[in-house]
Amino acid sequence: MAYATLSDNVYGGYFIPKGATIIVNQWALSRDEETAPDASRFDPSCHLTADGQLKDHFVNHTTAFGFGRRICPEAVIYH
C-alpha cells in the first residue's frame, strides 16, 4: 500500500518532501536475518520460542497486516 506524506520530513537523514509517495518494502522487512534466518525457506518455527510461544518481535510487529492507521477497507473512498 502506498502513502503520501502530509508535510516535509527528514527520516534517517533523507529529506522527504510533502506529497511524496512512500511504499513500504514488505519483501525486505520479512527477510530480516536477525529475526528470521534463512527467510526464503518456509519455517514457521522461526516465529516461536522454545516453549511454543510467539517471539516478542512477531507479537509487537504485525507487518503482515499493513502499516499506518487501521480503518475498514470498505470505508476508504478512492479518488
Side-chain angles (χ1 to χ4, degrees):
M1 181 174 280
Y3 294 89
T5 57
L6 299 176
S7 60
D8 289 348
N9 201 342
V10 175
Y11 183 82
Y14 294 96
F15 174 72
I16 304 169
K18 178 182 179 178
T21 300
I22 305 298
I23 301 173
V24 176
N25 187 343
Q26 178 66 40
W27 185 90
L29 290 175
S30 67
R31 281 154 179 79
D32 179 1
E33 290 291 327
E34 288 185 26
T35 57
D38 198 15
S40 293
R41 184 176 62 86
F42 180 72
D43 180 14
S45 68
C46 74
H47 303 285
L48 303 174
T49 62
D51 62 351
Q53 300 299 308
L54 278 177
K55 290 181 179 178
D56 286 342
H57 174 78
F58 296 103
V59 172
N60 299 322
H61 299 91
T62 55
T63 58
F65 301 105
F67 306 89
R69 63 183 173 202
R70 303 290 185 253
I71 60 173
C72 175
E74 294 180 8
V76 176
I77 299 173
Y78 296 96
H79 297 275

